[in-house]
Amino acid sequence: MAEPASVAAESLAGSRARAARTVLGQVVLPGEELLLPEQEDAEGPGGAVERPLSLNARACSRVRVVCGPGLRRCGDRLLVTKCGRLRHKEPGSGSGGGVYWVDSQQKRYVPVKGDHVIGIVTAKSGDIFKVDVGGSEPASLSYLSFEGATKRNRPNVGDLIYGQFVVANKDMEPEMVCIDSCGRANGMGVIGQDGLLFKVTLGLIRKLLAPDCEIIQEVGKLYPLEIVFGMNGRIWVKAKTIQQTLILANILEACEHMTSDQRKQIFSRLAES
Amino acid sequence: MEEETHTDAKIRAENGTGSSPRGPGCSLRHFACEQNLLSRPDGSASFLQGDTSVLAGVYGPAEVKVSKEIFNKATLEVILRPKIGLPGVAEKSRERLIRNTCEAVVLGTLHPRTSITVVLQVVSDAGSLLACCLNAACMALVDAGVPMRALFCGVACALDSDGTLVLDPTSKQEKEARAVLTFALDSVERKLLMSSTKGLYSDTELQQCLAAAQAASQHVFRFYRESLQRRYSKS
């Protein structure tokens, strides 16, 4: 009964659930079921495991596992809903079995609470702005959620806004603010004049914002620049001249498909000229 | 007469993949699939089965008109455009079949009051068109990252006057056949999601065709897996 995972990998149809641990880093497809660590012990060889019945109501020793994007809880297993690589992060401290998620490549953004995004103000209605963030509906941004908000220093229709979501779930209209919980701007607010806004895939943004990403450091060495990353796939970049801005935009868009060697070649060629 | 079309493996460059030569007994035509080839839609795929080719694009979850929104799940729309001419009644009926299949598989409750639109363009039609459309739609939905509870595939088969079963018929075989049956099967337990049949056949023949389609779907799902693994191995 407990066959190695390779046999299950041969035929998708009728595949039984595999242990999540064995599939880490591999491509998983929608419809697959994953077993969490305690369960694979229970379904060991022989099927029916004999366990002594305990008379005291011992709390079942289940570890609390967080189900990230691309996974859904299905009974006591995890059901994969998106295609991508399965990842796991150990819990930093204390209890819990860590987080499992699927790293998928997507273009369309779905608002998530706490995400910092770049939005475009599309309309004013009542005392809120309607901001287009690339999701299925425009987010609302109150007039008062800016640092030092007064009647005079309000954004206009067509401005770029960098803010974060305070309400973002599937049932309600997303709401964003440009202040943090202390009431300070902390880098958020209206993005200045000029510069270029362009769209990339969500996976590229996550890659660029990873702590050990060398691309941004290399780009910073090329030209002095200002750059804002929105988790909704939008990047705003501004350099001294228009030509430099366009070069930077092209590099960032192409980063997705280049290997690190090709990138280094391009950077060295640009640094010379 | 069964027309075996075993083609050699021709792995395509870039994002596309071709299918490897399959074992004896499987008479599906050569498959190829390419993903993420269009820049505007959120997901796109082109599926090739022999000479039949369909291009699919998926937009979603996106804004929906208030008249079409459903309060607790996503509104799924399928648009099928023929190669020449305006879409007619046959296209409308195929759109409905594809939409019902997608609705059974897509987790619409995760995105209420949004719309997911699948646009299919027939590039060339050389038999088993509905099956090719289903495959292209599935690959495009996966490419767009729409949450699904399983993958699905389409398999067509034709019964000729002797009662011989031909899988993945060409247009000539479809014209001469007594009955043409198309099935949509899901990837978890190869259950039947949709069936569209035309012609005269008996109950046992239906069961035989369904069994043959379920066996053939295994190859299609293996092809999906190889194609997606190849795509993710590049990044």
Side-chain angles (χ1 to χ4, degrees), chain A residues 102-131:
Chain A
V102 176
D103 230 344
S104 63
Q105 295 171 350
Q106 252 184 270
K107 286 193 208 171
R108 173 62 70 162
Y109 177 67
V110 172
V112 169
K113 183 173 164 176
D115 263 1
H116 290 260
V117 294
I118 299 180
I120 305 173
V121 179
T122 52
K124 285 194 225 188
S125 90
D127 58 354
I128 54 169
F129 292 109
K130 286 278 180 226
V131 180

Side-chain angles (χ1 to χ4, degrees), chain A residues 3 17 39 63 81 91 94 98 108 125 193-194 196 217 237 248 256 258:
Chain A
E3 298 277 15
Q39 282 147 7
V63 198
T81 58
R108 173 62 70 162
S125 90
Q193 298 294 323
D194 307 328
L196 177 68
Q217 293 156 7
V237 82
L248 290 168
E256 181 143 36
M258 289 198 289

Side-chain angles (χ1 to χ4, degrees), chain A residues 130-145:
Chain A
K130 286 278 180 226
V131 180
D132 162 44
V133 291
S136 63
E137 48 180 342
S140 73
L141 170 64
S142 160
Y143 282 178
L144 294 174
S145 42

